[in-house]
Amino acid sequence: MLQKKICMVGAFATGKTSLVSKFVYSIFSEKYQTTVGVKIDKKTINFQGKEVNLILWDLYGEDEFQKVRMSYLRGSSGYLLIADGTRHHTLEKALNLRQRVEETIGKVPCVLVLNKWDLVDEWEIENNEIEQLVQQGWIVMKTSAKTGLNVEEIFQSLTSKILEE
């Protein structure tokens, strides 16, 4: 069986833990859960006839008080870069984090996840910004941990990129 480490990286309160909970346990909670350090879950998926064991490292969110410990990223096959579509500054934080991740572990597969699509009326990230990122070669996906929109798909997409490498 293939085993791949995937990290969840992003600013504070973007929905990293909620996305993992929805993917692994099919659970969404309105209650905010702060991740202290790192929380590790795993889920086995079937990808193109292969069993792939995904080890999911949910890293605490980066804010002005604490920086993501880049040592947590070592050994990652890929990562999900999470931004909250209702807070534009989390996209800027994600773009900065990607640069730091690449400096630490090199270029590994990445999917930019714009979470909280269920709050589309409060959305702050413009479609033209998303289009520019896509034109630069980014894989960008809108999700909602609450409704489950594209949650399975972000992990499938990242797994596909990892197995192409």
Side-chain angles (χ1 to χ4, degrees), residues 19-35:
L19 287 166
V20 171
S21 292
K22 190 68 164 186
F23 178 62
V24 175
Y25 305 107
S26 300
I27 294 172
F28 175 80
S29 171
E30 293 281 354
K31 192 172 136 243
Y32 180 70
Q33 305 156 352
T34 300
T35 301

Side-chain angles (χ1 to χ4, degrees), residues 93-109:
K93 174 68 75 180
L95 300 177
N96 291 335
L97 279 169
R98 182 180 188 191
Q99 188 174 347
R100 291 190 27 227
V101 169
E102 287 183 355
E103 289 166 3
T104 304
I105 61 172
K107 286 190 186 269
V108 297

Side-chain angles (χ1 to χ4, degrees), residues 40-107:
I40 302 171
D41 283 292
K42 66 182 174 181
K43 181 171 180 175
T44 302
I45 64 169
N46 190 311
F47 185 81
Q48 297 178 343
K50 296 179 187 141
E51 294 275 294
V52 183
N53 195 18
L54 301 179
I55 310 300
L56 308 171
W57 285 52
D58 176 5
L59 308 184
Y60 55 86
E62 182 166 295
D63 62 22
E64 60 272 17
F65 304 110
Q66 70 184 35
K67 300 278 184 218
V68 168
R69 299 221 358 227
M70 291 294 148
S71 60
Y72 287 150
L73 295 163
R74 289 200 186 92
S76 293
S77 298
Y79 60 102
L80 295 174
L81 198 55
I82 316 297
D84 173 349
T86 68
R87 296 183 298 144
H88 191 276
H89 73 275
T90 65
L91 176 60
E92 295 160 20
K93 174 68 75 180
L95 300 177
N96 291 335
L97 279 169
R98 182 180 188 191
Q99 188 174 347
R100 291 190 27 227
V101 169
E102 287 183 355
E103 289 166 3
T104 304
I105 61 172
K107 286 190 186 269

